[in-house]
Amino acid sequence: MASRLVYRPSYMLTRAGIGEGRIWRVEGASDRMPRNPTDPKAPENRRIEILLQASPG
């Protein structure tokens, strides 16, 4: 399930015109840096990090 949740934003970014080569990293952050550590399943913990490379020019 987690890989599917990370794949979807990459897909949406490329559909929006962001070149695949610019997508450097997309990863889940809930298990590493929960915003609500007392409730691991809290909605605010479900998030991802997206890192893009600067476009040339």
Side-chain angles (χ1 to χ4, degrees):
M1 180 169 101
S3 62
R4 178 180 54 109
L5 296 176
V6 170
Y7 170 76
R8 182 85 173 152
S10 296
Y11 171 76
M12 296 305 290
L13 288 168
T14 56
R15 293 270 315 214
I18 304 284
E20 232 177 271
R22 289 193 55 211
I23 302 172
W24 190 54
R25 184 171 62 207
V26 178
E27 59 185 32
S30 62
D31 59 339
R32 294 178 297 113
M33 298 178 295
R35 292 208 172 152
N36 183 351
T38 59
D39 184 5
K41 296 186 184 257
E44 61 267 25
N45 289 334
R46 288 183 234 138
R47 65 192 194 286
I48 59 171
E49 288 183 353
I50 301 172
L51 287 122
L52 301 175
Q53 293 180 352
S55 60

